[in-house]
Amino acid sequence: MCTIEIMDELLNFAIHCALESGKIQRKYFEKSINIRHKGEIDLVTDVDMACQERIIKLIKEEFPDDDIISEEKKNDFDGDKNRWIIDPLDGTTNYAHGYPFFCTSIAYEAGGQITCGVVYNPIFNELFFGRKGTGAYLNGEKIKVSPVHDIRQALLSTGFPYNIATIEKNNINHFLNFLFKAQAVRRDGSAALNLCYVACGRFDAFWELSLNSWDMAAGSLMIDEAGGMLTNLQGREFSVYKDTIVASNGVLHKDMLMVLNEK
């Protein structure tokens, strides 16, 4: 799909894994599939499992010494090893309802840093990818964050945890605050794609609570490489192993944090 200069063996392989996963997602989209519940409203489908199995099989064949973190499996890993961080189907609820906003997210971590990331939506045929220090791309074209500098003109995105009805920090207060501060706020069910949309300037900023590493790893690299900014909700250093994120075009970041930290 892409022959630009930054392509290397690792990135090519990650793209191959994402495209293989996308084939499975396309094949069963809007078909009758088996849906199970991990919680009261938290879903997993046979497609999640099939995509995960395909990706893990490919990784174990090519990179047998690497650890693998993936949403639909038990994750034990060695802190010193390089690792793959995978969400085989980010946006499972969307997928189960035939809403075409979902993706595969694959990231590679080496030496404690995310060095490679791929996010693929097979329905829109949009492939986002990045390599540390070389930029972020959409279908081979370099992308960058938006120039919007006034939060009143900003299109924001967010999400809510599955256990929204039972936890105190459920993001509703922040959502309501931003409805009155920003031009508009969207909630469309895939953190990985939302981060990529900030990276390519479709959204101006994104925030969320209660996320996991596989939700954020690849998308956070896109933000970094597209010239954006990442922190936690208090403005401190971002980590894919913590559960909150604020991602912006940079110029809006201070305003984002002010709203998020209103008493």
Side-chain angles (χ1 to χ4, degrees), residues 7-256:
M7 299 297 284
D8 60 17
E9 180 182 358
L10 186 71
L11 183 54
N12 268 317
F13 175 76
I15 289 173
H16 173 63
C17 289
L19 295 178
E20 287 292 297
S21 179
K23 289 178 185 177
I24 297 170
Q25 293 170 12
R26 274 198 307 270
K27 181 177 180 180
Y28 295 103
F29 184 55
E30 296 187 309
K31 304 288 196 311
S32 178
I33 58 174
N34 185 31
I35 301 170
R36 301 181 299 283
H37 284 76
K38 296 187 287 185
E40 186 176 357
I41 59 173
D42 193 1
L43 305 179
V44 62
T45 71
D46 285 347
V47 176
D48 291 79
M49 303 308 297
C51 291
Q52 177 172 275
E53 288 169 8
R54 178 61 176 152
I55 295 167
I56 290 177
K57 181 177 185 294
L58 291 168
I59 291 173
K60 287 185 173 179
E61 289 173 351
E62 294 295 322
F63 297 88
D65 296 327
D66 288 347
D67 278 333
I68 301 171
I69 299 174
S70 188
E71 180 175 12
E72 306 303 340
K73 77 178 191 69
K74 183 178 179 181
N75 293 300
D76 297 313
F77 56 92
D78 183 338
D80 295 326
K81 279 189 175 183
N82 293 347
R83 66 183 64 94
W84 296 86
I85 306 174
I86 302 161
D87 195 335
L89 176 49
D90 185 38
T92 297
T93 300
N94 290 347
Y95 190 91
H97 286 269
Y99 180 60
F101 195 80
F102 53 83
C103 65
T104 294
S105 176
I106 300 174
Y108 191 71
E109 183 181 357
Q113 293 187 320
I114 305 300
T115 62
C116 175
V118 178
V119 175
Y120 179 51
N121 179 334
I123 304 305
F124 297 165
N125 197 31
E126 290 188 331
L127 178 71
F128 294 90
F129 59 88
R131 198 72 161 93
K132 188 170 180 59
T134 57
Y137 297 79
L138 168 56
N139 291 345
E141 297 293 327
K142 198 165 189 177
I143 58 176
K144 62 181 180 179
V145 295
S146 80
V148 172
H149 64 275
D150 186 343
I151 198 166
R152 293 171 298 181
Q153 302 302 317
L155 179 59
L156 310 180
S157 62
T158 191
F160 299 95
Y162 283 110
N163 56 348
I164 185 173
T166 59
I167 63 169
E168 181 180 357
K169 295 181 179 179
N170 56 21
N171 199 31
I172 291 175
N173 59 329
H174 301 311
F175 182 75
L176 292 174
N177 287 338
F178 278 118
L179 284 177
F180 292 102
K181 297 289 198 309
Q183 187 173 66
V185 184
R186 301 288 181 256
R187 193 276 192 188
D188 44 22
S190 169
L193 279 175
N194 288 160
L195 288 167
C196 290
Y197 277 26
V198 174
C200 73
R202 293 173 180 171
F203 290 140
D204 303 301
F206 167 80
W207 86 95
E208 194 165 345
L209 293 68
S210 301
L211 292 177
N212 293 289
S213 59
W214 48 79
D215 300 308
M216 303 181 285
S220 65
L221 179 66
M222 308 300 172
I223 299 289
D224 272 338
E225 293 299 317
M229 182 178 291
L230 293 159
T231 66
N232 68 6
L233 264 65
Q234 289 72 45
R236 294 191 286 271
E237 184 178 5
F238 168 75
S239 168
V240 299
Y241 297 107
K242 303 296 183 181
D243 66 350
T244 69
I245 185 171
V246 184
S248 79
N249 62 3
V251 291
L252 287 173
H253 212 86
K254 182 178 178 181
D255 289 338
M256 292 291 296

